[in-house]
Amino acid sequence: LVDITKTFGDVVADDRVNFELLPGEIHGLLGENGAGKTTLMNVLYGLHQPDSGQIIINGQPQVVPSPHAAIQLGIGMVHQHFMQVPTMTVIDNVILGLKAGSPLKLDRAGARKRLLELSDLYGLHVDPDAFIWQLTIGDRQRVEILKALYRDVNILILDEPTSVLTPQETVDLFHTVRKLVDAGLSVIFITHKLEEATSITNRVTVMRDGRVVATRETRDTNKPELARLMV
């Protein structure tokens, strides 16, 4: 992301922000609530259009007009508030939104098989025939991650993913994230928690008041320094 600026009326949410994600890394995006983290990632995911700046993926400038376009570019996002239909099953939620002509949408047996393969591969175990309303919050989050993996993304944005989880579910999520990176994905981990930023990431970018104030190798920083940068 190069010099990304995004305003809402008189509010400057992101002010000439530069952010770089490397292949195969977990990159923490750290900052207080309102620092501009989620807005920046919503620009990358096509939910917002930047007022200025550029998105470059694998060396190529890209315009991302919608989440569908982002997915086509290999970018998935798991929001704090899950995009799910509670009265539908897990498998129906996963294939929801695929184009009508997609063979994966029409072939439910094939879709079920692939979903179970992804579940086993990444330890994201969830009953494909369960209704969303029957699931725990942790299971619902797994469904969101599976939705992205099902669409073959190679960049996964996780927006404050532990805010709704129990401590054990958080441990399980970290295990899953490491497996995803081992399999070749790159992960952007949005958080305001110092413990998370220092325990799971390879690098950390700190935002404050809509601007990037620093990017650090996680092994070269610590919680006191990151706290000073945040505030």
Side-chain angles (χ1 to χ4, degrees):
L1 301 171
V2 182
D3 288 336
I4 296 291
T5 295
K6 179 61 185 174
T7 59
F8 299 95
D10 295 331
V11 177
V12 181
D14 291 312
D15 185 6
R16 292 163 293 171
V17 174
N18 292 286
F19 176 89
E20 179 188 46
L21 178 68
L22 299 176
E25 75 168 345
I26 304 170
H27 195 134
L29 189 55
L30 178 68
E32 292 191 294
N33 290 333
K37 310 181 301 294
T38 298
T39 299
L40 184 69
M41 289 301 107
N42 282 339
V43 167
L44 178 57
Y45 190 57
L47 282 166
H48 298 319
Q49 296 307 301
D51 299 326
S52 61
Q54 224 177 7
I55 298 171
I56 299 173
I57 301 172
N58 295 328
Q60 299 298 315
Q62 301 286 354
V63 175
V64 189
S66 68
H68 178 73
I71 289 166
Q72 296 295 107
L73 290 165
I75 303 165
M77 185 168 182
V78 176
H79 302 269
Q80 267 185 284
H81 305 291
F82 306 140
M83 310 289 188
Q84 296 170 343
V85 182
T87 54
M88 292 172 66
T89 64
V90 168
I91 195 163
D92 285 331
N93 270 272
V94 167
I95 64 177
L96 186 67
L98 288 172
K99 287 192 171 179
S102 168
L104 290 173
K105 186 173 179 71
L106 298 175
D107 177 13
R108 286 182 63 83
R112 179 191 179 84
K113 180 171 179 283
R114 179 141 186 265
L115 187 60
L116 290 171
E117 286 171 353
L118 289 169
S119 297
D120 289 341
L121 183 61
Y122 297 111
L124 292 162
H125 299 296
V126 62
D127 179 1
D129 299 312
F131 290 98
I132 294 294
W133 63 265
Q134 296 174 311
L135 302 180
T136 66
I137 292 294
D139 284 341
R140 289 183 64 177
Q141 186 180 72
R142 288 189 197 105
V143 173
E144 287 296 280
I145 296 172
L146 283 166
K147 271 166 67 174
L149 296 174
Y150 194 86
R151 286 153 175 77
D152 291 324
V153 303
N154 48 43
I155 295 171
L156 185 63
I157 305 163
L158 300 174
D159 187 7
E160 301 276 2
T162 67
S163 62
V164 293
L165 301 183
T166 65
Q168 183 56 50
E169 286 172 335
T170 297
V171 170
D172 293 343
L173 173 68
F174 283 10
H175 182 65
T176 295
V177 169
R178 292 188 180 103
K179 274 191 165 185
L180 294 173
V181 171
D182 287 345
L185 274 77
S186 304
V187 175
I188 301 171
F189 196 101
I190 304 174
T191 185
H192 63 270
K193 299 177 182 177
L194 295 166
E195 183 65 40
E196 292 177 2
T198 54
S199 64
I200 192 162
T201 63
N202 304 109
R203 290 196 300 159
V204 184
T205 290
V206 183
M207 291 189 70
R208 185 174 73 232
D209 298 329
R211 293 182 174 177
V212 167
V213 291
T215 296
R216 297 277 190 272
E217 295 281 341
T218 307
R219 64 175 178 266
D220 296 334
T221 188
N222 53 47
K223 284 184 269 192
E225 182 191 26
L226 293 174
R228 281 195 300 275
L229 290 167
M230 279 174 69
V231 300

